[in-house]
Structures are given as structure tokens and as C-alpha cells.
Amino acid sequence: MSEKYDIIIVGAGHAGCEAAHTSAKMGCKTLLITQNLSAIASLSCNPAMGGVAKGQIVREIDAMGGYSGINTDNNTLQFRMLNSSKGPAMRSPRAQVDNVLFPIGWRQKLESMENLFLWQDEVINILHSKDKVTGVKTKTGLSFKSQAVILTNGTFLSGRIHIGKTNYSGGRLGEEASRGLTENLRKLGFLSDKLKTGTPMRVVGKSIDFSLLTEQKGDEQPEQFSYFYKRKKTLVQHSCFLAYTDEHVHDILRKGFKDSPMFQGRIQGRGPRYCPSIEDKIERFADKDHHQLFVEPESLYTDLYYINGFSSSLPLDIQYEALRNIKGFKKAVIQRPGYAIEYDYFPPTQLYSTLETKIIQNLYFAGQINGTTGYEEAACQGMIAAINAVLKTREQEPFILKRSDAYIGVLIDDLVTKGVDEPYRMFTSRAEYRILLRQDNADERLTEKSFSIGLAEKERMAFVEKKNKKITHLVSFMKTNNAQPEEVNNYFSSISTPEIIRPEKISKLLLRPQVRIEDLQQTIPSLKQEIEKINSNLRQEVCTLAETKVKYESYIVKEQETIDRINKYENLIIKDDFDYNKLLSLSFEAREKLSKIRPKTIAQASRISGVSPADIAVLVLYISK
């Protein structure tokens, strides 16, 4: 307790775990403090990692040397590539994970790491000298000293649980809320507000009639999240199931609206638009006569199922009655009720792009404290906050991912530039450069950047370089070698695409939408021979990436040209002490917004709501001079 740590991390959810892993891996003496060591990396909501856009984030975490993807792969119950019928920019990996083994996997990893220490306690005060953090004080009266502090408090800050008319203090069901830290931060000058989220009930599996549900199996050839580390064992896929509400169920749920904490105003915090409760769905989409539900297994070590899409804060008797009127749930038994939770967050416009606070130096916020939702969004923030905390203690340049680098860059830029007024979730539509920011090339984009700061391993970097060389060579081969008519015409005829009358480059043939590299190699001996030179453990991945580079080359080039044009504004730096109020040519709103957010670059300034192109032109002119 008398020792001084380099980094202290408060909270051991997904943000805290990834932050602790990153800090310790980069060689810093790290202390992770959490209220309950038995609840490390809990999957409080759905027992899954990834999904649309979120899967890209997990891949990016792995590409940089994080642990979320590896732990997911080791504890997967089912893997599916979402949007597999769409283009590569839209595909997103998702894994159903074991809710018992996943947290254990994280704890085992953290406890095995050099430089990392764990302590069970509640942090109630931030210690500081003038405007610089010096450590934390806990509920037990202890003080811990450090060079930097990262707060990853999740939904625990003044958390309040709501089930019908019943409401009480809690960070999540069965765990105490954190009291005092919000007030302490407000005294330091931080602004806070409230948000709300919810989680569905957990139902006993033996009480469900699965014969009346629609089975949803995993992929026949399941992939994984980690680029470098392979699963410890062969994946055995476990099915999820589909169920549906109907008008009768909706009528039952409506009976509880008079006691709904959301409809009766007992919850002030705004909930997520994209993931509404079942009562909110019925109210907002009154024209829908049914809603789809996903029945997902919790673990191999429990008989519980998670009813995805049935989040509710209605009274328990209403939840029960509605559930038992869904086909397949006539005798269903609830083990844990659905509930809503309201909690404090701190608007993230109070942060720099490093996730360091603007008020207190060396104090960082990551995860739901910033108004985000989702394990993946939290984990990547924990990683970025830890990287920058480590670099700052070493007086090195900050690590900032641009919007053109990663979905992580998009997420953080959205938070610190635009702020949030509802729980933030990542979508592919938020990224301007989706063709470049695919789930299949995160290592190509990010591993070298991470390796340069000492996070990604040397072996991982060598693996990426080897793979990229093979991809480049295969693309070059297809661009310089021809296919003969007699080699491909029978195949083309079978898929109803025009035959060729003269030799043509393999890459040109691959541009046809119906044509796949896996089929071409069966008809073109030279291509098959070239592909067979690739190690079997890399072959499929190299072929897929090479095919994508060929098919989407013109789009990739176009996006890169756009990025190059915009990057000139990314390189126009605005000084921290720039006085916008002296620039009377700026609109009043622009001066107000720019003074509040204090963007680092002209490009970031251009993304602030209320700052017009005319205002940007004035700034460019002034800064250029």
C-alpha cells in the first residue's frame, strides 16, 4: 500500500481488464482496484462478443495485442459471421461466449501477468496536487499513489436498478453501486449526467420447449477473432434459437405500462435507441404485430438462457405472464428478472482524444463512464486510455488513431468531438471508410502501429509481415498471369457468365461478381499451383484477402484518395491555448463550441456540430498564416 504505482485502474469490467492488460504488458507497475474480484469481466447483458461493427472493434483490439479476442476464442459457444452475404465491408464476426468461463479466463490472465496487482475495494476519491492526479482513496480509508489513474466504472456510479415500482441502489443486479466518486469529480469541475440501459431476464433451459422454436446454428466453418493465437481446442458449436412475440403478448405487456418506471418518469436517464426495451418497442413501433427474440445459451455450466430482445423494467408478474404466452415458453421459469439501470456518466467532450481529462492531468476515463454501451466499445477505450497513460508517464508522444485508421478511431473521435446524449453504440454507418476498415484487415492496419509503441509482440509483427507478403505476391501473380479460354469457359458457362475468346488476366476475371478465387483455382492449374505454395494454416485467409484487394481495388483507391485529401487538415494543429473568442469572423456558436471542445486539429474542428464550413475556412486561413 505504501508503494507507488505507475498506473491505477478503477473497475474491472471490459474496459478495466483491457486497460490493466495493456498497462502491465507495456511494462508499467499497475494496480487494478475493483469492488468485487469475483465479478471481473462480467457479461452483465448478453453473453456474446462482437456483432455488427462491434466485431471489427474486437478484431482491432486483437491486432494491437489486446486480450478480448483471444479470451473470446477460448470460450466460444457459437461463432457466426454476420452479413456474410454482403460485401466484405459489412461483414462482422460475432461469438456466443460461455458466461462462466469467459470471466475466469480474464481473471486467470490478469493474475498471471508480471507488473499487475489486484485489490478488492471501492474508490471514493481522486487524489490530486493542483491539476495533476496523484492517486486514489478507497472506502476502507486506504490511499494508493500513482502517476496516472484510469476510471472504468461502468454502470456503478450512483447506479439505481428499476423493476416496476421497485427501485433500489445497485451497480448491477446483486452488486452495490459506487457512491461518492461522482460527487468528488463534480467538485473538481467535471459535469455529469444520467443514462439508462437494461437487460433481459434469464430463463431456465429445462423449462423451455425448444421443439417449438426455430434453431439457429453457427457457421459450418467457424472463424475466430484472434489473427495470431489459435483456439486451444476444436470449436464445438452450440445452437441459439429464435422466438417471436405476438399481439396477445403485447397486450399483456401494455397492462404494465402504468407501473413502468420509464413511462411514469421515475427514470430520467435516456436509454439506447438502437436496443430498446420490449415495452419501448411496443410503444414506438405500434404497427408491428410481432418482434423477434433470440434465445441464447449462457454457459455449458448452467442451464440458463438469455432472451435477447426482451429487455424490460416492467413488474415481474407482467414479465412472467408475457413470457409464458410466447410460443415455447408456456412453462418457462425465470431465474433472474429483466431490469433497467440508471447511472451517472461524464460527457466525453471533457476528454482529449487520448481519453485524458481536460481538467485533471493524467486522469483518464474509459467505457460507460463516457456514455458508451457494449463490452467491445468499453474494451477498446480501456486499451487506448492505458496506452496513452503509459506513454505520458514516459514523456512520449500520444497514441491517437484517426477515423481512417480504425473503428476505434471513429468511436473516440465521435465521443470527444460530438459528445453523447444517449448510450453510444458503434455501427458500420458511423465509419466513412468502411471498405478500408474491414474486419479481415485489422492486423494489416494496426499491428505495426501497436508494435512501434511496445504493445504488439515481435512474433505477432513477424506473422503479419509474412502474411502480407504472401497476399501481395498472390495479387501480383493474378495481375500478371493469364487464364486461357479452355481453362475457364466450362466454369463460366456453368455460372452463366460470358465466356472469353482470348487469354485474359486472372485478376480481370476475378472482377466478375459471380467469380470466386476458390473456384478459379480449380480451373486454372497455374493459380492452383501458386496457392498451394502458401502454408495451409494461412492459405484460406491469404486467398480471401487477395480476392478482396482485387475485386475492390478501385473502391479502395478512391477511399484512400479521399483520406489523403482530408489528412492535410488532420496535420493542421490548433494550439491548446488558442483563443477562439478573438476571432470575431467565427460565428458565435462556433466560438462557443470550439472553446468548449478545444479540438486538436482543423479536421476535428470540422466535425463539431454547429461549426460551419465558413467557420473552418476562417480557421484554416488564420492558422495557415
Side-chain angles (χ1 to χ4, degrees):
M1 292 178 291
S2 61
E3 295 181 24
K4 185 172 182 179
Y5 296 89
D6 297 315
I7 314 287
I8 291 176
I9 294 145
V10 181
H14 299 265
C17 286
E18 205 62 75
H21 175 266
T22 298
S23 175
K25 191 174 179 181
M26 292 181 74
C28 281
K29 187 177 181 182
T30 305
L31 177 64
L32 175 61
I33 305 177
T34 188
Q35 287 180 225
N36 183 1
L37 285 172
S38 298
I40 283 177
S42 288
L43 298 159
S44 312
C45 200
N46 62 318
M49 291 290 286
V52 175
K54 297 152 80 74
Q56 279 86 332
I57 290 175
V58 179
R59 281 271 168 99
E60 290 174 350
I61 292 170
D62 179 76
M64 293 175 62
Y67 194 68
S68 290
I70 298 169
N71 194 38
T72 298
D73 291 338
N74 288 339
N75 298 293
T76 294
L77 295 177
Q78 184 195 88
F79 185 95
R80 292 180 66 216
M81 184 64 72
L82 305 183
N83 296 328
S84 57
S85 62
K86 298 181 180 180
M90 302 301 291
R91 294 169 195 159
S92 300
R94 182 186 188 272
Q96 201 70 29
V97 296
D98 194 304
N99 204 356
V100 172
L101 297 180
F102 184 90
I104 292 173
W106 255 118
R107 183 166 182 172
Q108 288 177 331
K109 180 62 179 178
L110 296 179
E111 289 185 338
S112 70
M113 295 188 75
E114 297 291 330
N115 308 311
L116 181 56
F117 303 85
L118 280 66
W119 177 251
Q120 183 166 297
D121 208 339
E122 180 183 343
V123 170
I124 57 173
N125 275 301
I126 300 300
L127 304 178
H128 63 99
S129 177
K130 297 181 180 179
D131 63 347
K132 190 172 184 179
V133 78
T134 58
V136 299
K137 186 176 181 180
T138 70
K139 195 173 184 178
T140 55
L142 300 173
S143 294
F144 296 92
K145 301 292 185 181
S146 67
Q147 296 184 62
V149 172
I150 304 172
L151 298 184
T152 69
N153 301 80
T155 60
F156 281 75
L157 293 177
S158 307
R160 193 155 199 87
I161 290 170
H162 296 263
I163 306 172
K165 291 182 178 180
T166 302
N167 66 85
Y168 55 90
S169 175
R172 58 178 162 239
L173 200 66
E175 295 186 58
E176 292 184 8
S178 174
R179 297 288 176 186
L181 190 54
T182 294
E183 291 71 20
N184 174 236
L185 291 170
R186 283 176 183 157
K187 288 178 182 177
L188 295 176
F190 290 98
L191 301 175
S192 71
D193 207 338
K194 288 189 178 294
L195 289 175
K196 164 252 178 187
T197 189
T199 188
M201 60 191 70
R202 261 66 167 186
V203 177
V204 177
K206 64 186 178 184
S207 71
I208 302 171
D209 186 351
F210 291 101
S211 68
L212 299 178
L213 307 184
T214 303
E215 187 175 12
Q216 188 179 52
K217 296 183 178 181
D219 292 346
E220 288 186 9
Q221 295 181 315
E223 298 183 34
Q224 61 174 62
F225 278 100
S226 183
Y227 291 94
F228 184 52
Y229 291 97
K230 300 306 176 186
R231 282 194 183 95
K232 293 179 179 178
K233 54 188 177 183
T234 302
L235 177 62
V236 177
Q237 298 262 43
H238 297 267
S239 293
C240 296
F241 299 85
L242 299 178
Y244 299 89
T245 63
D246 57 27
E247 280 289 5
H248 180 53
V249 173
H250 296 177
D251 288 339
I252 295 169
L253 291 165
R254 288 188 184 99
K255 292 192 305 182
F257 283 9
K258 65 182 186 300
D259 296 323
S260 166
M262 183 175 66
F263 294 142
Q264 299 308 316
R266 291 190 292 276
I267 296 178
Q268 279 81 49
R270 189 171 180 181
R273 260 183 310 131
Y274 49 82
C275 189
S277 63
I278 189 64
E279 55 264 36
D280 200 13
K281 288 180 189 176
I282 294 170
E283 184 79 0
R284 285 166 51 189
F285 308 108
D287 58 318
K288 300 286 186 183
D289 61 5
H290 71 280
H291 292 286
Q292 189 177 62
L293 308 175
F294 298 87
V295 184
E296 303 171 342
E298 282 268 310
S299 170
L300 298 179
Y301 296 89
T302 179
D303 189 35
L304 292 185
Y305 279 76
Y306 172 90
I307 315 302
N308 196 343
F310 209 64
S311 172
S312 178
S313 58
L314 293 175
L316 183 54
D317 61 331
I318 296 293
Q319 292 187 39
Y320 240 123
E321 186 181 356
L323 177 68
R324 286 192 163 182
N325 278 275
I326 296 171
K327 190 175 181 180
F329 291 85
K330 186 177 181 180
K331 298 180 180 180
V333 175
I334 297 173
Q335 193 175 95
R336 276 189 284 168
Y339 65 92
I341 183 164
E342 191 175 28
Y343 56 94
D344 293 336
Y345 85 104
F346 290 79
T349 51
Q350 300 173 98
L351 306 176
Y352 294 114
S353 295
T354 57
L355 298 182
E356 182 184 22
T357 67
K358 296 173 181 177
I359 294 175
I360 302 292
Q361 291 185 55
N362 291 15
L363 176 63
Y364 297 78
F365 292 173
Q368 285 180 284
I369 192 174
N370 291 334
T372 61
T373 183
Y375 317 133
E376 305 83 0
E377 289 92 339
C380 73
Q381 290 176 71
M383 169 181 274
I384 296 299
I387 288 172
N388 281 298
V390 171
L391 294 177
K392 189 161 187 185
T393 63
R394 295 172 178 172
E395 298 183 347
Q396 296 177 4
E397 288 296 309
F399 183 84
I400 297 172
L401 293 173
K402 299 193 291 290
R403 298 180 74 89
S404 55
D405 291 329
Y407 272 86
I408 297 173
V410 174
L411 182 149
I412 292 175
D413 184 66
D414 279 351
L415 294 179
V416 304
T417 303
K418 301 173 183 177
V420 299
D421 57 6
E422 64 178 18
Y424 179 100
R425 177 180 174 178
M426 178 53 69
F427 293 104
T428 50
S429 58
R430 295 189 189 272
E432 303 92 319
Y433 312 112
R434 293 188 290 276
I435 295 176
L436 289 176
L437 306 185
R438 305 186 309 276
Q439 56 83 26
D440 59 18
N441 71 342
D443 57 346
E444 181 182 332
R445 292 183 275 117
L446 298 174
T447 299
E448 186 174 3
K449 293 178 185 295
S450 180
F451 177 70
S452 69
I453 59 169
L455 179 55
E457 310 92 324
K458 182 179 179 181
E459 296 80 9
R460 181 185 289 268
M461 186 68 244
F463 178 81
V464 173
E465 288 175 339
K466 178 182 177 182
K467 186 176 76 172
N468 287 342
K469 284 180 182 178
K470 292 184 181 299
I471 294 166
T472 301
H473 177 78
L474 184 56
V475 170
S476 176
F477 177 86
M478 290 190 288
K479 285 185 174 183
T480 55
N481 285 269
N482 289 327
Q484 304 299 321
E486 61 271 19
E487 293 176 330
V488 296
N489 279 344
N490 284 341
Y491 164 56
F492 285 172
S493 177
S494 70
I495 60 172
S496 301
T497 191
E499 298 179 3
I500 60 175
I501 58 175
R502 64 180 64 87
E504 288 193 18
K505 294 289 186 289
I506 298 172
S507 58
K508 185 178 178 180
L509 300 179
L510 196 54
L511 293 176
R512 301 184 183 196
Q514 315 97 310
V515 176
R516 302 292 305 278
I517 192 171
E518 60 190 44
D519 296 320
L520 282 183
Q521 67 171 310
Q522 301 303 321
T523 63
I524 306 172
S526 61
L527 177 61
K528 183 177 183 179
Q529 186 177 7
E530 197 64 31
I531 289 173
E532 287 179 345
K533 294 178 182 177
I534 303 169
N535 294 343
S536 58
N537 63 326
L538 275 176
R539 192 173 299 155
Q540 183 61 50
E541 191 175 355
V542 168
C543 288
T544 300
L545 285 164
E547 179 178 348
T548 299
K549 285 179 179 290
V550 171
K551 280 185 177 291
Y552 294 89
E553 182 177 29
S554 61
Y555 299 99
I556 292 170
V557 169
K558 188 175 180 180
E559 274 199 0
Q560 190 59 56
E561 289 173 349
T562 302
I563 291 168
D564 293 341
R565 285 197 301 272
I566 291 174
N567 272 347
K568 64 181 180 180
Y569 294 114
E570 293 284 6
N571 297 326
L572 276 177
I573 307 297
I574 305 174
K575 292 182 179 179
D576 289 340
D577 59 354
F578 190 91
D579 188 354
Y580 296 100
N581 291 314
K582 288 184 178 180
L583 270 184
L584 300 181
S585 301
L586 294 173
S587 67
F588 178 79
E589 184 180 9
R591 276 178 272 160
E592 184 181 44
K593 293 284 184 68
L594 290 164
S595 297
K596 176 185 176 182
I597 295 174
R598 307 212 68 81
K600 286 289 189 181
T601 67
I602 290 292
Q604 186 185 357
S606 70
R607 295 189 288 269
I608 298 173
S609 175
V611 178
S612 70
D615 295 321
I616 295 300
V618 170
L619 277 176
V620 169
L621 182 63
Y622 189 87
I623 289 175
S624 296
K625 287 181 178 180

